Amino acid sequence: MFKKDRVLVADDEEFCIASMKAILKKSGFDISNRLDICINGQEMVDLVRNSYTQGISFKLIFSDFSMPGLNGVDAVKEIRAFFESHKVPESMQPYIIGVTGHVHKDFTIIGLKAGMNEIVSKPLYYPTMLRIISKFF
């Protein structure tokens, strides 16, 4: 079946990546062996496609909304379409958290319609992130 579940962080801001690493590490997650980082949406789509093709799944994906090139919203749409076309069962699909600096309700609606499961606003707060992470690990 699938190898150990992984977490993917997709963000083009180094500070946000460092924050997520620190939050995951503080939560007890093994960031040295089970964490992948992407800096744009196309990298995220390619990594998810290649990983699932090789039998490697992601438990969680944290995706920034605004990244250069393919943005996080469109990347999540492509990932969900890949899962549908390859008949990946929902139980094997990742829980996708959209991460955005925009606090307007419209961004939440856009993210959820794209296939994100939950939206969190930047800055990332440890209690909020721990609530999400603790559901899965």
Side-chain angles (χ1 to χ4, degrees):
M1 191 49 90
F2 281 71
K3 298 174 184 148
K4 288 187 177 180
D5 290 323
R6 302 182 64 79
V7 171
L8 171 58
V9 174
D11 202 307
D12 61 316
E13 296 179 30
E14 189 59 41
F15 177 78
C16 293
I17 293 169
S19 296
M20 278 305 308
K21 283 181 176 181
I23 289 168
L24 287 163
K25 186 174 182 178
K26 186 175 179 180
S27 302
F29 185 79
D30 179 8
I31 65 168
S32 62
N33 294 314
R34 295 175 54 206
L35 176 66
D36 290 291
I37 306 292
C38 294
I39 60 170
N40 64 56
Q42 190 60 57
E43 279 185 20
M44 180 172 65
V45 170
D46 293 343
L47 180 61
V48 169
R49 286 177 179 161
N50 292 336
S51 295
Y52 274 79
T53 301
Q54 297 173 25
I56 300 168
S57 65
F58 291 94
K59 182 65 82 176
L60 291 172
I61 295 177
F62 294 92
S63 174
D64 185 25
F65 270 55
S66 302
M67 293 183 281
L70 186 65
N71 66 51
V73 173
D74 290 336
V76 168
K77 287 178 185 176
E78 287 193 29
I79 289 168
R80 292 297 187 199
F82 169 80
F83 290 148
E84 186 175 331
S85 68
H86 287 76
K87 300 186 181 358
V88 176
E90 282 190 37
S91 62
M92 299 302 288
Q93 295 182 28
Y95 190 84
I96 301 177
I97 299 97
V99 181
T100 181
H102 305 287
V103 294
H104 195 277
K105 186 179 178 180
D106 288 348
F107 284 92
T108 298
I109 294 167
I110 290 167
L112 294 174
K113 283 184 177 181
M116 295 175 178
N117 299 97
E118 188 169 345
I119 313 301
V120 295
S121 297
K122 294 178 184 179
L124 304 174
Y125 293 105
Y126 180 69
T128 302
M129 302 312 289
L130 181 61
R131 175 188 57 78
I132 294 168
I133 295 165
S134 65
K135 293 182 206 176
F136 302 95
F137 300 102

